[in-house]
Amino acid sequence: MAAEGGGKEMNEIKTQFTTREGVYKLLTHSEYSRPNRVPFNSQGSNPVKVSFVNVNDQSGNCDRICFNVGRELYFYIYKGVRKAADLSKPIDKRIYKGTQPTCHDFNPLTATAESVSLLVGFSAGQVQLIDPIKKETSKLFNEERLIDKSRVTCVRWVPGSESLFLVAHSSGSMYLYNVENTCGTTAPHYQLLKQGENYAVHTCKSKSARNPLLRWTVGEGALNEFAFSPDGKFLACASQDGFLRVFGFDAAELHGTMKSYFGGLLCVCWSPDGRYIVAGGEDDLVTVWSFSDCRVIARGHGHKSWVSVVAFDHCTTSVEDGDPPAEFSGSDEEFHEQIHFGAGRDRANSAHSRLSKRNSTDSRPVSVTYRFGSVGQDTQLCLWDLTEDILFPHLPLSRTRTHTNVMNATSPPTTGQTTTTTTTISTTNPSGTNGKDIVSNSSTSANPANSLPGTLPRSNSLPQATNPPGGSTPNSHTGSSTNSSGSTKGNSIIDSAFIATGVSKFATLSLHDSRKERHEKDHKRNHSMGHISSKSSDKLNQLSSSRTAKAEVAKTLGTMLCPRMEDVPLLEPLVCKKIAHERLTVLIFLEDCLVTACQEGFVCTWARPGKVGLLSSQNNPANSPSGTVV
């Protein structure tokens, strides 16, 4: 089977793979690309990105897809697993001169079959608002590049707003815009509104309303991606300085931080219930961070190069409490699109409410499994399961264990400490450390519910890590996120209601120089974690030896910001398959499929198990659902 490649087939492109749900199959006739289907010469171009929107079309073809390839931008009806793609009839196609589209985002609130609002960011710093259905260019923001001259790295509509949007640049700044305001003919003047260590928020000084409304400066180096929480109240930022910073958006309060194991962070996403954040980057790892505990709870090692995209799978994330399996929408932007889609709203809300039943007062939480995926520059797709034995290590292990490699702590478990049976397996750890993997036999039921199994070190070197800061529960998203100025709900910086009154207790990051000029030299293409973690101190010292400021980076290793590899569980991927010839840049989970894209400009649809039958007759033109085979 194509999905089960052996050692001699490692370089073979996979067209299907198997999980516990069944077989995912690549639908070759549902591939979207440039109309000529010729692979794009990706040298020096910006990453291919894909955006979706649902327009509630009565004809049944509700989804619309937008993707950029080089200087070109395409807008199609997305037929998914239902019909073959017809690339000869794009709804809209645009070719830009002097600049390239880098990212884009639809507004799900205003989308109809007759009109959509699409934001497009560009390599020269501009942001364009277009309607590809009416084929109108509504507005161009930062046209003269007076606000920021650097590349746009991420653009998102503010959740729940029809007019506000946020734009991130490679300069490390973010800007809040209002589509109703103009940008002005002179460079904006700013006034400090809020400041913490390594971040600041300024408001634009102007007698009349103009853009930008706010300027955020976050960290050192480029701000590679940001993502809004499902409830829209928090903002997670992944930066080139290697830090994940999570803010209360309205009050600009720093809720918590995390440091990558190595290099910059490139991508970030929220779990559908807002409890966990997954980030990926130049350390080849996926890192799972708990929102309530403000700490790393797991890392995943499967990629052999930089991780470019992470996303949660809403359909496979489940809550087993007697109700049917929960369904969510995938990454943050997909979540907000779905909850405005009628039927999707009820599904998301009911699933969210079931997850909300799990809080710190429960004697036994409901059974929860989070599925997320990642793609990287190694052309591989990885799928991961985040299960109870990782989320709740104080409790007896779940009977349904997944591929989880829990590395032993610095000292072996004390005899008599736990009744859990263990089997010691002498191996060479994927991380390269000289130790032994301890595999726990979870069939025992004698382990007390409030004890920590000796074979599951829960960041033993991190004191009080299990106590949520400020006494918050996993369900509380406001009021307890900082120790400074109280509840974030009533303190909106968008309304300029207050000036900074304190610094969050988590804002303890040290200033250090940007690494963006040295990343290509410092990180080899196939620089896997097997080489990094075996001599992590040496690697960090090599990076920080040239400048004294960079010595601060090494100080974070072994702290709550960046636990050592042996201090947190190490996940192994359920699936790790090579699916493209060029680096992967897109991963989006939809209800009946998942969508990937590579730098050659090919957008691929993978049917979920049981969904492939909708296109089973695609090779027979007479029986094809679309009537033609492209």
Side-chain angles (χ1 to χ4, degrees):
M1 183 165 50
E4 306 297 332
K8 296 181 180 180
E9 301 172 350
M10 290 302 293
N11 292 325
E12 178 185 345
I13 303 299
K14 310 303 178 185
T15 58
Q16 64 184 46
F17 55 85
T18 304
T19 65
R20 67 172 185 273
E21 307 94 55
V23 180
Y24 289 74
K25 294 185 178 180
L26 175 66
L27 303 181
T28 56
H29 287 72
S30 293
E31 181 181 85
Y32 287 79
S33 66
R34 297 190 298 173
N36 58 13
R37 293 188 182 273
V38 175
F40 176 68
N41 184 0
S42 60
Q43 295 297 327
S45 64
N46 290 285
V48 173
K49 296 292 181 69
V50 174
S51 296
F52 284 98
V53 70
N54 188 300
V55 298
N56 294 317
D57 190 352
Q58 299 300 321
S59 67
N61 291 323
C62 297
D63 290 325
R64 302 292 183 266
I65 183 174
C66 172
F67 58 92
N68 61 288
V69 182
R71 298 186 296 115
E72 303 166 8
L73 187 74
Y74 293 93
F75 181 73
Y76 283 95
I77 295 176
Y78 180 70
K79 301 177 182 179
V81 301
R82 298 181 302 277
K83 295 182 180 180
D86 185 1
L87 300 183
S88 64
K89 298 178 181 178
I91 299 177
D92 195 13
K93 172 187 175 182
R94 298 173 186 240
I95 302 178
Y96 297 93
K97 296 181 179 180
T99 186
Q100 294 184 4
T102 59
C103 51
H104 31 82
D105 190 43
F106 288 105
N107 192 329
L109 296 181
T110 60
T112 66
E114 293 77 31
S115 175
V116 294
S117 297
L118 176 66
L119 290 169
V120 184
F122 291 92
S123 56
Q126 303 94 336
V127 178
Q128 191 178 34
L129 175 63
I130 61 176
D131 188 333
I133 296 181
K134 293 182 178 180
K135 294 182 173 57
E136 294 178 353
T137 301
S138 300
K139 286 188 178 180
L140 185 60
F141 302 93
N142 192 29
E143 180 176 6
E144 302 299 328
R145 306 172 68 207
L146 297 173
I147 297 173
D148 200 305
K149 292 180 171 59
S150 64
R151 177 174 57 92
V152 176
T153 56
C154 187
V155 60
R156 292 279 185 271
W157 291 96
V158 174
S161 175
E162 297 184 2
S163 58
L164 297 178
F165 62 92
L166 193 62
V167 181
H169 289 258
S170 59
S171 63
S173 295
M174 288 188 299
Y175 302 90
L176 182 67
Y177 288 82
N178 188 324
V179 295
E180 306 299 331
N181 295 352
T182 61
C183 290
T185 57
T186 59
H189 296 278
Y190 298 103
Q191 180 177 350
L192 182 64
L193 184 63
K194 182 78 175 179
Q195 187 172 21
E197 194 162 354
N198 253 3
Y199 84 96
V201 182
H202 293 78
T203 183
C204 184
K205 294 174 60 177
S206 177
K207 295 181 179 179
S208 59
R210 63 168 288 180
N211 284 318
L213 303 178
L214 295 173
R215 182 186 70 177
W216 295 59
T217 53
V218 180
E220 300 288 326
L223 202 164
N224 291 320
E225 189 176 40
F226 64 83
F228 284 99
S229 62
D231 60 10
K233 296 179 180 178
F234 290 87
L235 183 70
C237 300
S239 297
Q240 190 60 43
D241 61 7
F243 281 95
L244 167 73
R245 297 176 177 88
V246 182
F247 298 93
F249 180 62
D250 284 348
E253 292 286 355
L254 186 62
H255 171 76
T257 58
M258 183 270 288
K259 175 69 173 62
S260 69
Y261 196 79
F262 174 87
L265 287 179
L266 305 178
C267 51
V268 63
C269 69
W270 292 78
S271 65
D273 59 358
R275 298 176 186 275
Y276 303 99
I277 296 174
V278 172
E282 297 174 357
D283 54 9
D284 306 348
L285 298 171
V286 292
T287 303
V288 185
W289 190 82
S290 170
F291 176 86
S292 60
D293 291 347
C294 292
R295 68 182 187 91
V296 175
I297 62 169
R299 291 189 178 104
H301 175 222
H303 287 284
K304 297 180 177 64
S305 189
W306 298 356
V307 179
S308 51
V309 183
V310 288
F312 275 86
D313 182 356
H314 59 289
C315 291
T316 314
T317 295
S318 63
V319 184
E320 299 174 9
D321 59 349
D323 291 337
E327 291 184 5
F328 305 91
S329 65
S331 57
D332 180 56
E333 62 269 25
E334 294 296 323
F335 183 91
H336 286 288
E337 288 179 15
Q338 289 285 353
I339 63 175
H340 294 295
F341 290 173
R345 180 187 297 113
D346 297 333
R347 180 172 68 247
N349 288 344
S350 62
H352 188 281
S353 65
R354 286 201 295 275
L355 271 178
S356 297
K357 294 177 183 179
R358 173 170 57 85
N359 55 48
S360 60
T361 62
D362 291 339
S363 59
R364 180 75 170 106
V366 295
S367 176
V368 181
T369 300
Y370 295 88
R371 167 69 58 79
F372 65 93
S374 58
V375 295
Q377 295 193 12
D378 56 0
T379 71
Q380 292 193 126
L381 164 69
C382 292
L383 296 181
W384 316 79
D385 268 2
L386 190 60
T387 51
E388 281 187 308
D389 53 341
I390 301 299
L391 300 175
F392 313 111
H394 278 297
L395 299 169
L397 295 182
S398 169
R399 286 175 293 179
T400 56
R401 284 187 63 94
T402 57
H403 293 49
T404 307
N405 171 23
V406 183
M407 303 169 64
N408 194 16
T410 54
S411 61
T414 305
T415 304
Q417 180 181 358
T418 174
T419 58
T420 303
T421 305
T422 63
T423 303
T424 303
I425 304 175
S426 298
T427 62
T428 300
N429 278 331
S431 63
T433 56
N434 295 324
K436 294 183 179 181
D437 292 344
I438 305 297
V439 180
S440 174
N441 181 352
S442 60
S443 61
T444 178
S445 59
N447 190 32
N450 60 353
S451 67
L452 176 63
T455 56
L456 272 177
R458 187 180 185 182
S459 302
N460 294 330
S461 63
L462 310 180
Q464 300 177 347
T466 59
N467 297 328
S472 64
T473 67
N475 285 330
S476 64
H477 276 194
T478 57
S480 60
S481 58
T482 66
N483 280 352
S484 51
S485 57
S487 173
T488 62
K489 187 173 182 180
N491 297 331
S492 173
I493 60 167
I494 298 178
D495 299 329
S496 300
F498 70 96
I499 303 297
T501 57
V503 178
S504 168
K505 73 171 185 177
F506 289 101
T508 58
L509 315 181
S510 301
L511 288 169
H512 56 278
D513 295 329
S514 169
R515 299 181 185 175
K516 61 182 180 180
E517 298 175 356
R518 296 185 57 195
H519 275 296
E520 293 300 327
K521 298 179 182 178
D522 291 337
H523 187 87
K524 297 180 180 179
R525 181 87 172 179
N526 295 317
H527 201 91
S528 67
M529 276 308 304
H531 300 105
I532 297 174
S533 57
S534 60
K535 297 182 179 180
S536 57
S537 298
D538 294 340
K539 292 294 179 182
L540 286 170
N541 289 336
Q542 288 176 18
L543 289 174
S544 58
S545 59
S546 61
R547 299 177 185 176
T548 56
K550 288 193 174 183
E552 300 295 331
V553 177
K555 294 180 181 179
T556 63
L557 183 63
T559 68
M560 281 190 67
L561 287 176
C562 181
R564 296 183 182 277
M565 292 298 293
E566 61 268 23
D567 287 338
V568 294
L570 186 65
L571 305 177
E572 295 178 1
L574 301 174
V575 170
C576 188
K577 300 295 181 183
K578 178 182 175 67
I579 62 171
H581 290 289
E582 282 292 328
R583 65 185 187 271
L584 294 164
T585 57
V586 171
L587 175 62
I588 299 174
F589 291 95
L590 301 178
E591 186 171 350
D592 51 11
C593 62
L594 61 91
V595 177
T596 62
C598 70
Q599 195 55 25
E600 286 184 317
F602 297 115
V603 182
C604 298
T605 298
W606 301 76
R608 291 184 185 271
K611 302 294 185 179
V612 70
L614 299 176
L615 262 179
S616 60
S617 58
Q618 62 185 3
N619 293 325
N620 186 345
N623 297 327
S624 176
S626 63
T628 59
V629 175
V630 180

